[in-house]
Amino acid sequence: MTLRSFSCTDFRCLASVQLEFDERFNLVYGANASGKTSLLEAIAYLGRGKSFRGAPTERLVRHGASEFLLRGSVRSGVRDTSIGVRNGRSGLEISIGGDRGGGVAALASALPLQVMDPDVHSLVAGGPEHRRRYLDWLTFHVEHGYLDLWRRFRRALKQRNAALREGLTRELSSWDAEFVQLALSVDASRRRALDKALPVLETVGLRLLGSEVGFEYIQGWVSGRTLAEALAAGVDRDLAAGSSSAGPHRADLRLIYDDRQARKLVSRGQQKLLASAMILAASRVVQLRLEHPLLLLLDDPAAELDQRSLERLMEEVTDLGAQVIATALTLDPGWFPAPPATFHVEQGVLSLG
């Protein structure tokens, strides 16, 4: 599955862009603040329905405009599918193959992608929410029906938290039965997905960092107790806080690098390589499950890496077999084993490189 063409109107500094991409390697280059990251953000928005930089809609719409419009043509086999996203004052509107009934999950299925930007180290050094999003992306693509299961669990969590805030202690037992059942299903799905990803992570991590790499799954409640026991033991604390302190919404991954907790002990460059190894490993597993390549967006992969580390990273990226759209300050097609399609960006204006 490849993104063949892309256009955007009034997204950040990009007034009007129309591009045709190579099915393997693409390089967008230009000075800092020229619009490179905005382009990747727009492409990612087309596949996710949200900004990977966490920006609200009003900051994404170009100054003076009321909305932005993104369009793309995605090829799978011999079939092309048009996808589109419009957002602004009238709200989010999604179109896939002419059907406007799909949501953000449909976008993720139509254009599966991953992003490695200069903040990728947050996957290692940031809070557990970063690793939960990574875990849920992997599980969504690997475990059939996971999205529906996750949504049902979130509804049960919301209902339980509402009962806690209102002090409805008698009603908690009835909520807890459904909560536990759904939570254990979410937990089991995540474990199966991680079982597939861990051997790949170990291999990729060894090639990128030269040391053993792994992760330990933290389920979200005290080990050695059932979830039902953990909920019962923490009910007073939960009532005081008005929220549930145990469950898969509290899960995390403890990252292991050279027998140490990676979040605390590795340098920023090593954090970037470790996070990259995690993303590349998950991408390999998802590609195998979907039986087609992903789209990989690389924003300034050279940042914070020495030349040899960059070479190892780009070797892994190339070996993945995904379609790649990368950004750089200067034209440097030597990153790739074959000449990439090149695009120059200056003050939000793109031209063929």
Side-chain angles (χ1 to χ4, degrees):
M1 183 174 291
T2 56
L3 182 63
R4 299 191 68 202
S5 63
F6 173 77
S7 67
C8 77
T9 304
D10 293 330
F11 188 95
R12 287 202 185 264
C13 64
L14 306 174
S16 180
V17 170
Q18 290 186 323
L19 300 173
E20 301 284 335
F21 289 119
D22 182 79
E23 65 180 10
R24 281 303 313 275
F25 305 120
N26 301 269
L27 182 67
V28 181
Y29 68 99
N32 285 327
S34 60
K36 302 187 304 295
T37 300
S38 294
L39 176 64
L40 292 194
E41 185 180 18
I43 295 170
Y45 203 106
L46 184 64
R48 293 182 171 180
K50 61 181 179 180
S51 164
F52 67 73
R53 299 158 83 181
T57 302
E58 58 269 22
R59 290 180 56 191
L60 299 177
V61 178
R62 196 169 73 96
H63 180 70
S66 60
E67 63 182 17
F68 63 79
L69 176 62
L70 312 173
R71 290 195 178 105
S73 176
V74 178
R75 169 156 290 187
S76 180
V78 297
R79 180 185 177 187
D80 290 344
T81 301
S82 62
I83 58 177
V85 174
R86 184 193 307 270
N87 206 351
R89 295 171 186 169
S90 58
L92 180 66
E93 180 182 318
I94 294 171
S95 173
I96 302 175
D99 181 7
R100 300 179 184 276
V104 172
L107 280 179
S109 296
L111 183 60
L113 60 85
Q114 264 292 8
V115 180
M116 290 164 54
D117 68 349
D119 290 329
V120 69
H121 69 279
S122 297
L123 186 56
V124 174
E129 66 276 6
H130 298 281
R131 292 177 290 280
R132 283 196 294 269
R133 284 197 293 268
Y134 164 85
L135 177 54
D136 286 328
W137 179 85
L138 169 66
T139 312
F140 167 76
H141 285 291
V142 171
E143 285 284 307
H144 180 71
Y146 180 71
L147 179 63
D148 178 64
L149 173 63
W150 175 246
R151 286 173 171 170
R152 289 163 57 203
F153 166 73
R154 293 296 299 182
R155 285 196 294 269
L157 175 63
K158 184 177 180 180
Q159 291 166 337
R160 187 177 193 273
N161 287 346
L164 288 168
R165 288 192 296 270
E166 295 173 17
L168 304 177
T169 54
R170 293 182 180 180
E171 286 79 357
L172 279 178
S173 59
S174 61
W175 290 124
D176 283 357
E178 180 184 16
F179 179 87
V180 169
Q181 180 185 14
L182 292 170
L184 294 179
S185 295
V186 167
D187 180 71
S189 293
R190 286 173 167 177
R191 290 178 185 274
R192 287 192 295 268
L194 286 173
D195 284 345
K196 293 181 175 68
L198 181 56
V200 185
L201 173 65
E202 292 172 345
T203 299
V204 175
L206 183 61
R207 290 199 293 252
L208 278 183
L209 292 126
S211 299
E212 292 185 2
V213 171
F215 45 54
E216 178 186 353
Y217 176 57
I218 309 300
Q219 62 189 3
W221 62 94
V222 176
S223 179
R225 275 184 175 174
T226 67
L227 178 55
E229 291 170 343
L231 292 174
V235 66
D236 291 337
R237 179 178 63 241
D238 290 356
L239 284 166
S243 62
S244 303
S245 59
H249 59 294
R250 302 287 189 179
D252 197 359
L253 293 174
R254 179 175 292 123
L255 304 171
I256 308 300
Y257 169 69
D258 194 22
D259 294 327
R260 297 170 297 179
Q261 290 192 29
R263 189 172 68 89
K264 296 180 180 178
L265 297 178
V266 297
S267 70
R268 192 177 174 94
Q270 289 172 315
Q271 287 174 356
K272 178 173 182 175
L273 289 177
L274 178 51
S276 298
M278 292 175 65
I279 289 176
L280 292 170
S283 297
R284 282 185 179 275
V285 172
V286 169
Q287 285 188 156
L288 184 63
R289 170 67 176 82
L290 298 180
E291 299 182 333
H292 60 66
L294 302 181
L295 171 60
L296 183 62
L297 305 177
L298 301 180
D299 191 12
D300 194 10
E304 300 176 332
L305 296 181
D306 59 56
Q307 184 61 33
R308 183 59 191 131
S309 294
L310 175 62
E311 290 172 356
R312 288 199 300 267
L313 174 61
M314 296 309 296
E315 286 170 4
E316 289 299 320
V317 166
T318 298
D319 191 57
L320 179 63
Q323 182 185 26
V324 180
I325 304 175
T327 68
L329 291 173
T330 59
L331 180 59
D332 187 7
W335 287 352
F336 304 106
T342 57
F343 310 90
H344 180 246
V345 58
E346 185 174 359
Q347 296 183 341
V349 178
L350 280 103
S351 58
L352 291 176

